[in-house]
Amino acid sequence: MQSPKPPAPADLSTTEMELKFLVDAPTFQALQHARLLSGTAPLALQAIRSIYFDTVDADLWQHHQTILRLCTQGETHILTVKSAATDATNPFARSEIEVACPSADLDLTCLAPPVLAEIQQIIGDKPLLPRFETDIQRKVARVVAQGSDIEVAFDSGHIVHGGAREPIQGIELELKSGDAVDLFGLGLALTEIAPVRLHMQSKAARGRQLSAGTPARAVRAHTALAAADAVDDVIALTLATALRQFVDNWPAFATDDAPEAVHQMRVAMRRLRAALALFHRSFPCVEFAVMRADARRIAKAMNEARNWDVFGEMSGPAGPGLFQAERGFAAVRQAAETHRRAGHQQVADLLAGVEATRFVLSGLAFIARRGWRNSIPSADLPRLSAPATGFAAASLERLHRRVRKRGKAIADMPASERHALRLSLKALRYTSDFFADLFPATPATRLYLRAVSRLQDVLGTFNDMVTITDQVRRLHVHDDAPAARAVGIMLGWYGRAAVADDAAVLKAWQAFRRAKPFWTDALNAAA
């Protein structure tokens, strides 16, 4: 399902593009004197109070994350409408409309009639209420980076809702004019001089969570493509969507949804690696290979956390149900929790450090400048401007045939070969997810995607058994007889499941073989 349109026509809005960074107090002070960010004039101090409005049911926010804000700075009052931008390749861009208001009272008639009509259509007859506000002390500098005009804001203050206050302290880089590549470049330069971390949540998102009492939750990703998209656009959108899935899950990692956030971040890196391998094969580019190696290293840093999260699920109530009364399971879970916490700390260290921030900014800069074009011979450039359906169909056909070939003897296949088949199946599944929107949405498409997903899931049982066996050896509970018995029950329970699932594997394989590839018509048309 496509997202609803922004609340204002494109010709009434501009695109706001900004990077937000979290910093500690000493760094916050020190960077105000850094030559990189200080500009040519003294920092200008501003006191800014902003009130955010929505209905009691948050209708604006639910409509494309629309924000309605009244900002007061001295005697100046600015009414702002923001919504998610249409450029899916840049997670830091938003559409923005700003108009001057005569007073600090909300007056929607200040907006242009089309904008006012759109807002009224969203909220109906519901009144707009103040939901939360921000009080900010801001120091501002203007920096010219490679010819682009960038505003640097040092913000400190609070988000306020009733008696609740959440502190704000960070640095924002906003592109006022010029090229997004220069904005990402300044962000990268900042990581070279200070321990800064990208912050994905806007003040509006944080305020909404504070006012609603709902923490950030893990999010999934979907690459929304259109049949008319060119190959060049598909490369950009696919890579950007994976990067966005990665960074959009950072806020949820700090909540009780951390296990799912870790899972989604690892999925994002897997999707990214699959896409990079696919594009590198057709359009060899050194940066594709470097980015893929970096994504692999980042994913590896999250393996411990994810594996022990899964272990906890498998040893918990969802595990060997008939044996939950065994008192040794408590000791097993306690020993596993030590490893799980260490794994999550490793993820926390990754996200708090500059490596993850540099990885995201470098990737987005690469996408913004379409860096792969530089590696392609001039004679091959027309391939990038061609409709993506042909490229997608050929890629899917190749991966489909590889899975069919590797799975011929699946019933008698040793574990190592099943693992290789599973890896090929992952590449096919992610590529199918990437490109499905390029083709007509038919029952056959859904059937094929479901068959690929099911086969991957049942093959994953064997991989889980290998992982669990390794984890059990690291628990060191052999001197605790009840715990050792619980471990034996776990291995036997899931070992039995793996053997019993031979029939399920064969059934899933047969369903996959029967599923008609949804790209066949496009492939035949291109032949």
Side-chain angles (χ1 to χ4, degrees):
M1 180 179 295
Q2 292 184 345
S3 300
K5 295 180 180 179
D11 61 345
L12 297 178
S13 65
T14 59
T15 298
E16 176 195 62
M17 193 179 305
E18 61 183 16
L19 304 178
K20 303 177 188 297
F21 296 91
L22 291 177
V23 293
D24 57 27
T27 304
F28 183 74
Q29 295 297 327
L31 285 176
Q32 294 179 36
H33 306 288
R35 182 184 298 272
L36 178 69
L37 302 180
S38 60
T40 58
L43 293 175
L45 178 62
Q46 303 171 351
I48 305 172
R49 178 173 179 259
S50 299
I51 303 175
Y52 292 77
F53 294 86
D54 206 336
T55 66
V56 68
D57 297 317
D59 292 280
L60 286 176
W61 181 263
Q62 293 180 45
H63 186 89
H64 217 44
Q65 296 185 1
T66 300
I67 298 164
L68 181 65
R69 181 187 71 193
L70 183 60
C71 175
T72 298
Q73 181 181 337
E75 300 299 320
T76 302
H77 312 287
I78 302 294
L79 185 61
T80 302
V81 180
K82 294 186 182 184
S83 65
T86 56
D87 182 4
T89 65
N90 188 343
F92 303 103
R94 296 184 65 83
S95 66
E96 178 183 65
I97 297 170
E98 290 187 338
V99 296
C101 288
S103 73
D105 297 322
L106 180 64
D107 183 0
L108 295 184
T109 62
C110 296
L111 298 169
V115 182
L116 177 58
E118 187 73 30
I119 290 178
Q120 290 175 332
Q121 182 180 358
I122 296 169
I123 65 176
D125 58 359
K126 298 178 185 178
L128 288 168
L129 307 172
R131 299 303 303 268
F132 57 90
E133 63 183 69
T134 60
D135 286 312
I136 303 295
Q137 294 291 317
R138 169 172 287 185
K139 292 183 179 180
V140 179
R142 296 294 278 264
V143 173
V144 176
Q146 303 297 320
S148 294
D149 181 16
I150 298 173
E151 180 182 271
V152 181
F154 296 87
D155 285 352
S156 61
H158 292 86
I159 301 172
V160 182
H161 171 70
R165 295 167 63 85
E166 183 174 309
I168 295 173
Q169 181 174 270
I171 300 171
E172 295 184 4
L173 309 180
E174 181 177 352
L175 183 67
K176 291 299 185 179
S177 65
D179 195 325
V181 175
D182 299 331
L183 179 67
F184 296 134
L186 183 60
L188 283 167
L190 182 57
T191 68
E192 298 292 338
I193 65 171
V196 299
R197 171 190 171 185
L198 267 178
H199 186 54
M200 294 309 301
Q201 286 190 303
S202 65
K203 298 181 185 70
R206 294 173 63 186
R208 178 179 177 274
Q209 290 168 8
L210 181 65
S211 63
T214 55
R217 312 307 296 178
V219 295
R220 297 170 179 252
H222 175 67
T223 307
L225 304 178
D229 285 340
V231 174
D232 196 49
D233 298 321
V234 165
I235 294 174
L237 286 165
T238 304
L239 300 185
T241 300
L243 285 173
R244 180 159 195 162
Q245 183 186 9
F246 178 51
V247 295
D248 278 355
N249 279 285
W250 292 9
F253 179 72
T255 72
D256 60 359
D257 207 22
E260 182 62 17
V262 171
H263 174 54
Q264 293 301 328
M265 286 189 286
R266 286 178 78 237
V267 169
M269 291 298 96
R270 287 175 174 174
R271 288 170 60 91
L272 182 61
R273 289 167 60 197
L276 289 165
L278 180 73
F279 299 137
H280 183 62
R281 185 180 187 276
S282 296
F283 304 100
C285 173
V286 172
E287 287 178 274
F288 281 153
V290 171
M291 194 174 178
R292 186 166 183 253
D294 289 342
R296 184 178 186 277
R297 185 169 59 253
I298 288 173
K300 187 176 181 180
M302 296 184 283
N303 285 348
E304 275 283 281
R306 178 57 183 168
N307 288 342
W308 287 106
D309 284 338
V310 172
F311 187 94
E313 295 171 2
M314 299 179 81
S315 62
L322 297 177
F323 301 94
Q324 284 301 306
E326 291 282 340
R327 59 190 180 91
F329 274 106
V332 170
R333 286 191 285 267
Q334 183 177 358
E337 179 63 14
T338 301
H339 292 281
R340 192 193 73 83
R341 289 180 178 175
H344 276 252
Q345 185 58 52
Q346 190 172 348
V347 178
D349 292 343
L350 168 71
L351 300 185
V354 296
E355 179 185 4
T357 290
R358 285 176 185 159
F359 172 74
V360 173
L361 292 178
S362 296
L364 291 173
F366 174 61
I367 294 168
R369 60 182 169 83
R370 300 298 196 267
W372 50 89
R373 295 175 182 172
N374 298 330
S375 300
I376 300 174
S378 299
D380 287 343
L381 284 175
R383 294 168 57 206
L384 288 176
S385 59
T389 50
F391 170 79
S395 299
L396 287 165
E397 182 68 14
R398 175 179 57 82
L399 294 171
H400 176 80
R401 289 179 180 275
R402 185 170 69 180
V403 170
R404 289 279 297 254
K405 181 178 180 180
R406 288 188 172 178
K408 282 184 177 179
I410 194 169
D412 304 314
M413 191 176 288
S416 60
E417 292 183 19
R418 281 195 175 182
H419 180 64
L421 172 61
R422 180 170 164 268
L423 294 180
S424 296
L425 195 62
K426 275 187 178 181
L428 175 60
R429 179 182 178 181
Y430 292 141
T431 305
S432 299
D433 288 343
F434 297 153
F435 294 153
D437 284 349
L438 294 173
F439 304 91
T442 65
T445 302
R446 292 189 292 272
L447 182 64
Y448 184 89
L449 295 174
R450 188 161 55 244
V452 173
S453 177
R454 174 58 182 162
L455 181 57
Q456 183 183 344
D457 287 344
V458 296
L459 287 176
T461 302
F462 297 91
N463 185 69
D464 290 342
M465 273 306 301
V466 172
T467 303
I468 286 177
T469 302
D470 177 64
Q471 289 173 286
V472 162
R473 294 193 185 101
R474 298 168 57 192
L475 289 178
H476 304 297
V477 296
H478 305 295
D479 294 336
D480 183 334
R485 174 179 165 81
V487 163
I489 290 171
M490 279 190 67
L491 291 177
W493 181 273
Y494 289 109
R496 175 207 59 81
V499 173
D501 274 355
D502 276 350
V505 169
L506 189 57
K507 182 179 179 181
W509 175 252
Q510 291 169 344
F512 168 73
R513 283 178 54 86
R514 289 193 301 268
K516 179 184 176 182
F518 56 85
W519 57 87
T520 303
D521 291 343
L523 193 66
N524 292 337

